Amino acid sequence: MKTICLYFEIHQIIHLKRYRFFDIGTDHYYYDDYENERSISDIAERSYMPALNVLQDMIKENGKYFKVAFSLSGVGMEQLEMHAPQVLAKLQELNETGCVEFLAEPYSHGLSSLANEECFAADVRKQSAKIEEYFGKKPTVLRNSSLIYSDDIGAQAAAMGFLGMLTEGAKHVLGWKSPHYVYNCCMAPNLKLLLRDVELSDDISLRFNNSDWEGYPLFADNYINTIASLPEDEQIINIFMELSALGIAQPLSSNILDFIKALPACAKAKGITFATPTEICKMTKSVGNLEVPDTLSWVDEERDVSCWLGNAMQREAFEKLYSIADRVRIANDRRICQDWDYLQASNNFRFMTTKPSNVGLDRGIYSGPFDAFTNYMNILGDFMNRVHSLYPEEIDNEELNSLLTTIKNQGDEIEMKDKEISRLKTKLEKVQAADEKQKASKKAPAKKTAEKKATEKKPAAKKATKKAE
């Protein structure tokens, strides 16, 4: 029986403001708040809310038959919290149906997996904790930024305890193999790999509204017929895309949501089911190792990381940023860590690309790749100065870690002593109150006895007066 795994990514770019060389050292705020609010509000109205409402209707109409998965970057969730909380509320409603799975991914939607293993692990743990906070369950399947994957990254994911990982079904990796099977990491056999069907996914996310495409117009029954006609033993069809494909890349006027809504009925008629990534990882055996020595992704024709690290500017920015990764992680300063998350986001490096691309690239405020590089490096220069001013370069990472650990331990000890002092004060107050109560109870009988004696003496005094008369 064929099974469709339908997955959507939700991530929102953090827009940097125009930052001049002369701002370094004087301005430590790097973001265009107006553009961030405008863009997330726009995408929520035109894409996220209409798409999520349709997916909710699909679950109501089809019960447990229809399943869907999402992942949300941590920085994207922060933007939704501030400017479009209704999206998170709707996702929580979907979560209550039991037909939705939420996956792990790096909090920053950055490239830490290519630079620093400990930074990558911390990035994923931070996002997983936020997902668990919102949806009540810790993710068991990992989706790296832009489906970035290699054998080494797979081994890291397995070491973090994940059952499986999503990645791209790239032809240069698969060769003669099909993406419609479950594979496993060659360095960690316990980690299952689910491979995106490039053609079927891009038919929806990239080509659906293209009237020059030979498959236009695409109807749900024809789409499902294509899946049903695949070889009998090719059972797993992974359709992965950004949620913004529904409404932004493919406008609502193209009837993209009507197409999506019709998929379950057409699939059921052909005996095709839906499942979440974790369900597939648990119920389907791997057919063998998948060797990926070179890093792949779902971006551009090359399906590699050249869109972020393909030129000298990008590599210089990348190397400078991650040169302080250990220092930022060890220091664990709240404001520094927030800026670190935003500066890691992969779109910062994407804006610097000099590659031609079939997918349109909106560089926002930047006139070109060099402009993007200059602005980012000005901000990064100020950020690095802040890190080094807080934690001087003369102190190496090991010594800094030792000092901060000592400070933390002393702080914990002071906190414990404060709690003990507070407990003892409370106990002393209770003892004093009990003592005062006991003294008061002893005084009360003595007072009554004195009053009684005084009362008895009064008649005697009256008798003495009568005798005298």
Side-chain angles (χ1 to χ4, degrees):
M1 182 182 291
K2 287 180 169 49
T3 300
I4 295 173
C5 180
L6 184 62
Y7 154 81
F8 296 100
E9 179 214 15
I10 299 176
H11 167 62
Q12 179 60 27
I13 290 173
I14 302 293
H15 295 273
L16 301 178
K17 69 181 182 182
R18 181 62 69 181
Y19 194 91
R20 310 290 180 184
F21 175 79
F22 299 103
D23 293 326
I24 298 174
T26 61
D27 182 2
H28 303 317
Y29 192 77
Y30 313 133
Y31 314 107
D32 186 340
D33 291 334
Y34 172 80
E35 183 58 24
N36 283 325
E37 182 176 2
R38 187 207 64 78
S39 60
I40 191 66
S41 300
D42 179 63
I43 200 171
E45 182 180 348
R46 292 169 54 202
S47 172
Y48 292 168
M49 288 307 294
L52 292 175
N53 284 328
V54 163
L55 291 168
Q56 186 177 42
D57 291 341
M58 292 164 71
I59 292 172
K60 288 178 180 178
E61 291 170 8
N62 295 280
K64 298 295 181 181
Y65 168 75
F66 178 70
K67 306 285 180 66
V68 64
F70 298 93
S71 75
L72 297 87
S73 69
V75 295
M77 292 180 77
E78 288 183 17
Q79 291 296 294
L80 292 171
E81 286 171 339
M82 286 189 285
H83 306 304
Q86 69 273 20
V87 175
L88 291 171
K90 180 59 67 175
L91 285 166
Q92 287 176 320
E93 288 179 26
L94 286 168
N95 182 54
E96 291 171 2
T97 66
C99 298
V100 175
E101 179 180 358
F102 292 91
L103 311 186
E105 72 164 72
Y107 191 96
S108 65
H109 198 269
L111 307 175
S112 55
S113 60
L114 305 176
N116 187 297
E117 187 172 333
E118 291 183 343
C119 180
F120 176 52
D123 215 3
V124 171
R125 283 196 299 268
K126 185 175 180 181
Q127 187 266 0
S128 295
K130 198 169 184 72
I131 289 292
E132 187 173 11
E133 176 189 339
Y134 265 91
F135 306 110
K137 190 174 181 182
K138 188 176 180 179
T140 55
V141 173
L142 174 64
R143 182 262 187 200
N144 198 5
S145 310
S146 300
L147 296 188
I148 291 173
Y149 177 81
S150 68
D151 295 333
D152 289 334
I153 293 171
Q156 292 175 45
M160 285 186 265
F162 290 105
L163 295 176
M165 192 167 176
L166 310 189
T167 190
E168 181 77 340
K171 290 180 181 179
H172 71 274
V173 171
L174 285 170
W176 57 269
K177 296 177 182 178
S178 167
H180 303 139
Y181 297 94
V182 173
Y183 296 90
N184 63 264
C185 174
C186 66
M187 293 177 63
N190 290 334
L191 184 80
K192 302 281 185 67
L193 299 177
L194 306 185
L195 308 185
R196 175 178 179 259
D197 186 304
V198 177
E199 294 298 320
L200 289 172
S201 298
D202 288 352
D203 283 350
I204 299 174
S205 62
L206 296 182
R207 293 184 283 269
F208 184 82
N209 195 44
N210 182 3
S211 57
D212 295 329
W213 172 46
E214 61 182 12
Y216 180 87
L218 181 63
F219 295 105
D221 54 352
N222 292 338
Y223 187 80
I224 293 298
N225 286 340
T226 301
I227 294 174
S229 64
L230 292 169
E232 186 177 348
D233 58 341
E234 297 188 13
Q235 297 291 319
I236 306 299
I237 295 84
N238 299 308
I239 301 169
F240 304 159
M241 68 192 80
E242 296 177 358
L243 186 61
S244 60
L246 311 182
I248 303 297
Q250 307 304 320
L252 298 180
S253 59
S254 68
N255 295 320
I256 183 68
L257 293 183
D258 292 332
F259 169 84
I260 293 292
K261 194 170 184 178
L263 289 177
C266 295
K268 188 180 288 187
K270 292 290 183 178
I272 299 171
T273 62
F274 287 82
T276 63
T278 293
E279 288 174 341
I280 292 173
C281 288
K282 288 182 176 179
M283 72 182 184
T284 309
K285 291 183 179 179
S286 167
V287 297
N289 293 340
L290 186 70
E291 295 185 6
V292 188
D294 299 318
T295 311
L296 62 87
S297 76
W298 72 356
V299 179
D300 292 348
E301 289 296 323
E302 296 86 353
R303 301 291 196 255
D304 59 13
V305 296
S306 59
C307 67
W308 303 291
L309 301 175
N311 63 44
M313 292 185 297
Q314 292 170 310
R315 291 190 292 274
E316 181 181 349
F318 179 80
E319 288 165 9
K320 275 197 173 294
L321 176 68
Y322 284 101
S323 69
I324 56 171
D326 289 328
R327 209 161 195 78
V328 171
R329 179 179 52 80
I330 292 168
N332 197 29
D333 179 90
R334 185 188 65 81
R335 182 60 191 274
I336 290 289
C337 286
Q338 184 181 52
D339 289 336
W340 171 252
D341 288 335
Y342 297 166
L343 293 178
Q344 281 191 89
S346 62
N347 57 278
N348 293 315
F349 302 94
R350 176 78 159 149
F351 293 150
M352 303 176 201
T353 187
T354 50
K355 283 179 58 182
S357 174
N358 293 332
V359 180
L361 175 62
D362 180 5
R363 297 184 200 265
I365 63 172
Y366 306 125
S367 59
F370 185 74
D371 187 27
F373 170 73
T374 303
N375 200 69
Y376 183 80
M377 291 304 285
N378 286 341
I379 291 173
L380 184 57
D382 182 79
F383 178 72
M384 292 178 72
N385 287 344
R386 287 167 56 206
V387 173
H388 292 317
S389 67
L390 286 171
Y391 312 104
E393 291 181 87
E394 293 76 23
I395 305 174
D396 62 30
N397 287 340
E398 188 175 342
E399 187 179 356
L400 176 63
N401 190 27
S402 176
L403 286 170
L404 291 175
T405 301
T406 301
I407 292 168
K408 182 180 182 302
N409 291 341
Q410 288 176 344
D412 291 343
E413 189 176 346
I414 291 169
E415 186 179 353
M416 286 177 63
K417 287 181 177 179
D418 285 343
K419 287 181 180 178
E420 181 64 15
I421 290 169
S422 178
R423 187 185 68 80
L424 290 172
K425 280 183 178 179
T426 303
K427 187 175 180 180
L428 180 62
E429 287 171 359
K430 287 181 179 179
V431 170
Q432 288 175 340
D435 188 46
E436 288 176 3
K437 188 176 181 181
Q438 189 176 9
K439 285 180 180 178
S441 62
K442 285 181 179 179
K443 285 179 180 178
K447 187 178 180 182
K448 286 182 180 179
T449 303
E451 288 175 352
K452 187 176 181 181
K453 286 181 178 179
T455 305
E456 289 173 352
K457 284 179 181 180
K458 284 179 182 178
K462 287 181 180 179
K463 288 179 180 179
T465 305
K466 285 181 180 180
K467 284 181 180 180
E469 287 173 355

